[in-house]
């Protein structure tokens, strides 16, 4: 029996090559997309999930409430918080501070490289599961002078991992002892590091850690097993107010599992977003794509039903029950989906490198895992069932008498169902087209936003080692290069130029007011170098010694202080009084997701980055010359630089990625939809051969017939559009709202999407319809 | 109206060439009612199709109303076909998904007749053929005779000068067949030239001239009686 079914199925697939190819191609593409997306989602969910006590681990967040209604939620906490929480709260078993990620220069013999790592407290290794495979573990982080490195780093510098007790030179200034070797950190962790240094080391150079009012380090906690969720302890929330002067702030505890997926705070509350949004988005897209592929299958199978009714009739007359027939047809679709599944796995394997690159992911198909097999098989079989169920029930429903009586005719119900499916497909496709266009336009909009500074031909170089001591000399030499327009320096860049403070007072300030300003320590020529416009007053100048205490504000700051004529006023910033000597046009100090910040520039020493504005011609040569100059003054460090415009793009990496992927998936889903449409058009044309012949004899021309045939499909595509347009409008409107500056959702986007989907559909069916319309009527009518 | 000179139709069968029609010479004047008879496979349908411009001859000349059809391009032939000809089939060939009314209306749609005119023209013919009551039914709700009635109505709705009918009564009882033949006679009397293919001697009697075809050749060609009305000289 089974053999008989299998044979008929295979023969059927082979006999209807077009049908088989269309279905196989559609299902293969659909399954590959779904497999890729599922693997990616699994990877995303696996982030930070390898810590055995994960449900007891929290990251501390702080909400700061300002008088203008702004609430800053930050993971930057005071340096004293970790220890204090552990001592005073029995619920908290372990606590550790962790820096944001430090780059250090390491040297062993003549091997010199930069590595990324953290400064952390000993509890870091007790809270998190980063196994130490040789030497000391957490204890190594107790006192300065020791370091933990990963196997990878050990191999890199020593060629082997038996390095406990060896010395390694840090930042060209001191030797530390390797106290232990850790296993390499996995890909799916929020902490990516090759070394850990004691936080005490960091404390030596960072006095602010002792200050309860300075937020600048991350705090992680692990509770006792008995402890309730930390957010449910009211006093804990208000703890900061009791130990510090931060009376506008409270604490928030984010579970470890949420750290990677759900970081999206506004007004002090979780807004439901974060990476999880994109997981949801792509889960929906995956569902869409597999649905489209399955719809193809259902459509073509039911359309083809007329050619199979005879088989059904004969089988039923020979005693097959309905159940048997359902099993047969389901088996057929499963067979097809398994073929497609195999192709899809190959396709996934081939596209993984590109996908990983694009997504910055580390997915691979680990065939030694049962989970991977069951995932792939599950997806494949599910698609097979989904695709095969309707045709199976539809085909098996025929009564033999009915079939022999009106061979080749079908119920109107099937027709409606089929039309509904095509409408669904094109609704989805249109939705994706609109989405893709909006994302593309918005990204373009961001790229061409007036930022208030010129991000092109603008490089920055981190200040390494003792470079700062020679800044003036370096600046003179750089400025003398023909390819360099001007040089300056600042504490930070692009989205974090400086520090935030609310300790600012100005004439006429409401005593209750607390507003968060960004303060940016800058060097001379800052304005010219970044390309910002001064609207009033002047820039800092060497000619005015008093400028070392003076300020320049941006328009937004002047507006928030309520100063009509800001230039000339005296203000106090973090205890230092000085005069406002200039007002600069607003320039972007953060991503377009958030409002323009009020900014205060001051001329203070110590900067982290040197900036240079280059002339447009021969950048390569200029860079070479800059490298030479830096190498003379800072020989211990390799030359590092970045173009600001490239870094700026990174701010929107997620959106750009989503844009690329949505484009890809939109194209794929349209392709699959069109495959189905093509198949359907072919069958319809076949079915209507006689009608076309008659109409031709009645005097219809080829163009009239093509219009007739295409028109019916076009109607479906248009209905699909009408359904999709409002949904797309709502969703994309919502998405755009995330940007402070965004494009308008204008009607022409929708018109373009409609034109696009209609022309693609037309193109797809035109070949079939024109061929059908050109048929020789004598042939069409001769053999009835 | 129609003049065929040495008309040929051949098909390739493997390496050989087979003649379906061979050296056919024939002249048909406007207003005639011609019956084509002959054994099965003789080439009757092929001849009718060539006259109706659904097929092209492979040799010889075909003149229709002084136009050398064999030298015209596809488009021109289509125009002549559209303007002057109507077809009736043995298997009716109505469109299953359209109602009687819509089936009859179809030829007018392809001749850009305006909606209002269409309505009155279709209403007239429904009335004339006494099928008004059936106008909203679908073909499979009609008897064979009624279906063929609709087929004829559709064939003449656009007032063709030439009506071509291939075994129009082949699938009908003799009673129903007679009805159709009566209708043909009426149409012929109104001036429509008719060429029908039939196997039935009885139907042949309705015509004015009987042509017998055997093996792709005209065997006999006899005038049975004077045409009902002859106008025009060709
Ligand atoms: N395209 C073709 N290719 C090959 N042979 C053809 C083709 N068209 C027609 N024939 C052959 O030409 C011959 C004449 O066909 P035709 O249909 O004209 O016959 P007929 O006289 O109408 O017969 P019937 O009375 O059975 O309808 C037949 O033998 C047929 O098989
Ligand atoms: Mg015939």
């Amino acid at each position: 029996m089974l053999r008989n079914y299998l044979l008929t199925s295979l023969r059927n697939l082979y006999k209807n090559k077009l049908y088989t190819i269309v279905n196989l191609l559609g299902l293969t593409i659909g399954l590959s997309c779904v497999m890729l997306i599922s693997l990616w989602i699994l990877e995303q969910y696996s982030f930070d999930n390898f810590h055995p006590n994960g449900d007891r681990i929290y990251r501390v967040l702080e909400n700061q409430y300002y008088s203008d209604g702004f609430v800053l939620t930050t993971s930057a906490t005071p340096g004293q918080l970790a220890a204090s929480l552990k001592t005073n709260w029995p619920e908290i078993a372990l606590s550790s501070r962790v820096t944001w990620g430090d780059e250090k220069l390491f040297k062993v013999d003549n091997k010199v490289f930069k590595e990324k790592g953290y400064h952390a407290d000993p509890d870091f290794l007790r809270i998190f599961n980063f196994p130490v495979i040789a030497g000391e573990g957490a204890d190594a982080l107790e006192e300065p002078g020791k370091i933990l490195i990963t196997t990878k780093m050990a191999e890199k510098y020593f060629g082997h991992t038996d390095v406990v007790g060896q010395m390694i030179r840090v930042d060209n200034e001191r030797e530390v002892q390797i106290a232990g070797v850790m296993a390499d950190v996995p890909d799916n962790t929020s902490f990516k590091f090759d070394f850990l240094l004691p936080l005490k080391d960091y404390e030596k150079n960072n006095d602010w850690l002792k200050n309860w009012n300075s937020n600048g380090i991350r705090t992680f906690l692990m509770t006792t097993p008995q402890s309730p969720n930390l957010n449910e302890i009211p006093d804990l929330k208000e703890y900061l107010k009791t130990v510090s002067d931060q009376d506008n702030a409270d604490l928030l505890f984010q579970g470890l599992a949420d750290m990677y997926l759900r970081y999206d705070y506004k007004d002090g509350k979780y807004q439901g977003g974060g990476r999880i949004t994109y997981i949801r988005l792509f889960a929906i897209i995956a569902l869409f794509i597999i649905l489209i592929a399955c719809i193809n299958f259902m459509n073509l199978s039911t359309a083809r039903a007329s050619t199979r009714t005879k088989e059904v009739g004969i089988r039923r007359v020979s005693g097959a029950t309905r159940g048997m027939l359902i099993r047969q047809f389901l088996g057929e679709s499963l067979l097809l989906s398994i073929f497609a599944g195999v192709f899809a796995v190959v396709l996934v394997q081939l596209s993984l490198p590109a996908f990983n690159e694009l997504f910055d992911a580390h997915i691979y198909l680990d065939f030694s895992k049962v989970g991977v097999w069951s995932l792939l098989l599950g997806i494949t079989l599910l698609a097979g069932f989904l695709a095969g169920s309707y045709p199976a029930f539809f085909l098996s429903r025929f009564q033999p008498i009915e079939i022999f009586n009106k061979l080749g005719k079908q119920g109107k119900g099937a027709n409606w169902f089929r039309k509904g499916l095509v409408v669904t497909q094109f609704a989805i496709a249109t939705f994706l087209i609109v989405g893709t266009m909006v994302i593309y336009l918005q990204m373009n909009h961001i790229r061409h936003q007036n930022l208030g500074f010129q991000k092109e031909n603008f490089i920055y170089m981190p200040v390494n080692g003792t470079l700062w001591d020679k800044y003036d000399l370096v600046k003179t030499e750089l400025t003398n290069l023909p390819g360099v327009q001007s040089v300056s320096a600042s504490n930070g860049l692009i989205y974090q130029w400086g520090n935030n403070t609310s300790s600012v007072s100005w004439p006429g300030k409401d005593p209750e007011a607390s507003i968060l300003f960004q303060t940016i320590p800058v060097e001379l020529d800052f304005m010219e170098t970044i390309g910002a416009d001064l609207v009033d007053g002047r820039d800092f100048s060497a000619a005015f010694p008093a400028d070392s205490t003076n300020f320049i504000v941006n328009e937004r700051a002047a507006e928030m202080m309520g100063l009509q004529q800001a230039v000339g006023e005296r203000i106090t910033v973090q205890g230092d009084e000085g005069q406002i000597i200039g007002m600069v046009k607003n320039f972007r100090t953060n991503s377009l997701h958030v409002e323009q910040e009020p900014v205060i520039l001051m001329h203070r020493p110590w900067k982290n980055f040197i900036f240079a504005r280059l002339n447009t011609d021969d950048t390569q040569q200029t860079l070479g010359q800059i490298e030479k100059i830096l190498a003379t003054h800072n020989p211990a460090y390799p030359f590092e630089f970045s173009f600001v415009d490239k870094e700026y793009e990174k701010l929107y990496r997620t959106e750009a990625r989503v844009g690329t992927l949505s484009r890809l998936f939109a194209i794929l889903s349209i392709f699959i939809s069109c495959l189905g449409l093509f198949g359907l058009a072919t069958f319809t044309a076949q079915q209507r051969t006689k009608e076309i012949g008659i109409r031709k004899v009645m005097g219809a021309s080829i163009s009239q017939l093509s219009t007739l045939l295409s028109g019916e499909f076009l109607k479906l595509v248009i209905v699909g559009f009408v359904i999709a347009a409002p949904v797309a409008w709502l969703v994309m409107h919502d998405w755009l709202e995330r940007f402070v500056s965004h494009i308008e959702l204008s009607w022409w986007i929708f018109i373009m999407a409609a034109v696009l989907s209609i022309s693609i559909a037309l193109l797809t069916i035109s070949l079939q319809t024109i061929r059908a319309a050109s048929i020789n009527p004598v042939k069409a009518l001769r053999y009835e | 109206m129609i003049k065929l000179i040495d008309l040929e139709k051949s098909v390739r069968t493997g390496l050989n060439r087979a003649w379906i029609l061979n050296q056919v010479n024939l002249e048909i004047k406007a207003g005639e009612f011609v019956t084509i008879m002959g054994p099965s496979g003789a080439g009757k349908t092929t001849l009718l199709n060539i006259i109706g411009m659904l097929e092209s001859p492979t040799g010889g000349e075909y003149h229709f109303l002084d136009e050398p059809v064999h030298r015209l391009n596809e488009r021109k032939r289509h125009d002549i076909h559209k303007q002057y000809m109507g077809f009736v089939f043995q298997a009716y060939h109505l469109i299953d998904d359209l109602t009687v009314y819509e089936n009859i209306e179809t030829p007018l749609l392809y001749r850009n007749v305006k909606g209002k005119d269409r309505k009155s023209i279709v209403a007239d013919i429904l009335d004339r053929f006494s099928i008004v009551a059936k106008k909203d039914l679908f073909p499979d709700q009609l008897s064979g005779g009624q279906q063929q009635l609709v087929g004829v109505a559709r064939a003449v709705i656009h007032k063709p000068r030439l009506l071509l009918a291939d075994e129009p009564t082949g699938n009908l009882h003799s009673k129903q067949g007679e009805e159709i033949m009566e209708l043909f006679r009426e149409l012929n009397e109104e001036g429509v030239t008719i060429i029908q293919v039939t196997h039935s001697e009885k139907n042949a009697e309705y015509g004015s001239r009987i042509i017998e075809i055997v093996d792709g050749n005209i065997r006999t060609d006899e005038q049975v009686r004077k045409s009902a009305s002859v106008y025009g000289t060709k």
Side-chain angles (χ1 to χ4, degrees), chain A residues 342-364:
Chain A
V342 172
F343 290 135
V345 169
V346 175
L347 203 62
V348 166
Q349 187 72 323
L350 291 177
S351 54
L352 266 179
F355 183 86
N356 279 334
E357 168 106 22
L358 195 68
F359 248 112
D360 197 15
H362 303 86
I363 309 169
Y364 58 99

Side-chain angles (χ1 to χ4, degrees), chain A residues 674-711:
Chain A
C674 285
L675 266 182
L677 200 62
F678 177 79
L680 210 55
T682 311
F683 283 116
T684 313
Q686 275 170 18
Q687 272 175 1
R688 295 177 69 172
T689 314
K690 184 189 136 193
E691 180 196 333
I692 294 164
I694 298 171
R695 286 184 187 272
K696 270 200 123 164
V697 176
M698 295 299 118
S701 67
I702 292 180
S703 65
Q704 281 167 324
L705 283 173
S706 307
T707 314
L708 173 83
L709 290 172
S710 315

Side-chain angles (χ1 to χ4, degrees), chain A residues 406 409 412 688 690-691 694-702 704-705 708 776-778 781-782 784, chain B residues 46 49 54-55 78 81-82 87 89 91 93-98 106-107 109-112 140 154:
Chain A
K406 14 163 129 188
K409 271 191 199 162
K412 292 237 169 351
R688 295 177 69 172
K690 184 189 136 193
E691 180 196 333
I694 298 171
R695 286 184 187 272
K696 270 200 123 164
V697 176
M698 295 299 118
S701 67
I702 292 180
Q704 281 167 324
L705 283 173
L708 173 83
N776 181 348
V778 175
L781 298 178
R782 172 162 287 161
E784 245 293 278
Chain B
T46 309
N49 285 341
L54 298 177
E55 266 182 272
H78 180 77
H81 163 93
K82 209 160 112 173
F87 269 83
F89 304 94
H93 283 331
L94 301 179
I95 298 173
D96 299 331
D97 297 333
L98 301 183
T106 315
L109 294 175
Y110 296 127
R111 286 162 180 83
N112 298 322
D140 57 3
R154 183 182 61 179

Side-chain angles (χ1 to χ4, degrees), chain B residues 2-229:
Chain B
I2 293 167
K3 192 168 183 182
L4 306 177
I5 303 169
D6 290 343
L7 193 85
E8 273 181 30
K9 174 80 182 179
S10 60
V11 289
R12 287 193 98 83
T13 50
L15 290 175
N16 299 325
R17 202 158 250 293
W19 271 266
I20 302 171
L21 291 175
N22 200 1
Q23 302 286 319
V24 174
N25 287 287
L26 180 63
E27 193 170 343
I28 296 172
K29 296 201 168 61
E32 283 193 84
F33 185 162
V34 180
T35 305
I36 299 176
M37 301 186 76
S40 190
K44 307 180 294 289
T45 300
T46 309
L47 180 61
L48 206 66
N49 285 341
I50 289 176
I51 293 174
M53 293 172 202
L54 298 177
E55 266 182 272
S56 304
T58 47
E61 296 178 15
Y62 172 17
H63 300 269
F64 183 83
L65 292 174
D66 281 343
E67 292 270 13
V69 178
H70 52 283
R71 269 192 249 131
L72 297 179
N73 63 17
E74 173 84 37
R75 194 170 178 85
K76 198 85 208 342
R77 279 209 305 270
H78 180 77
D79 287 345
I80 296 178
H81 163 93
K82 209 160 112 173
Q83 190 180 347
Y84 296 106
M85 302 185 183
F87 269 83
V88 179
F89 304 94
Q90 174 177 359
Y92 328 133
H93 283 331
L94 301 179
I95 298 173
D96 299 331
D97 297 333
L98 301 183
T99 61
V100 165
Y101 183 96
E102 289 161 345
N103 262 296
I104 296 175
E105 188 188 26
T106 315
L108 297 180
L109 294 175
Y110 296 127
R111 286 162 180 83
N112 298 322
V113 179
K114 291 210 181 57
K116 227 171 58 199
D117 299 342
R118 272 205 314 265
K119 249 192 190 145
S120 64
I121 297 174
V122 178
D124 277 353
I125 208 137
L126 285 170
D127 192 34
R128 172 164 178 201
F129 284 39
S130 320
I131 44 177
V132 180
K134 307 267 183 288
K135 75 177 170 51
D136 291 323
L137 297 181
F138 286 93
D140 57 3
Q141 295 166 309
L142 300 178
S143 75
Q146 290 164 336
Q147 286 192 47
Q148 193 59 300
L149 222 49
V150 175
V152 176
R154 183 182 61 179
V156 299
I157 183 86
H158 59 288
K159 305 230 163 13
R161 299 262 295 272
L162 177 63
L163 183 65
L164 299 161
D166 194 354
E167 300 184 41
T169 60
N171 287 3
L172 302 178
H173 303 302
S174 54
K175 178 81 185 29
Q176 293 169 320
E178 263 171 45
E179 230 176 283
I180 299 292
M181 280 301 123
E182 281 301 331
L183 206 56
F184 274 22
R185 180 171 15 223
E186 264 176 53
L187 287 165
N188 181 243
E189 276 163 6
E190 286 164 23
V192 180
T193 310
I194 296 177
I195 306 177
Q196 69 161 341
V197 172
T198 184
H199 286 289
S200 141
E201 299 282 345
K202 216 170 142 211
N203 287 351
E205 281 167 17
Y206 285 85
S208 57
R209 178 179 173 190
I210 299 175
I211 295 170
E212 193 190 0
I213 294 190
V214 179
D215 281 342
N217 249 311
I218 296 180
R219 165 76 57 84
T220 60
D221 180 352
E222 51 176 320
Q223 196 77 25
V224 194
R225 61 188 137 82
K226 223 171 158 306
S227 308
S229 67

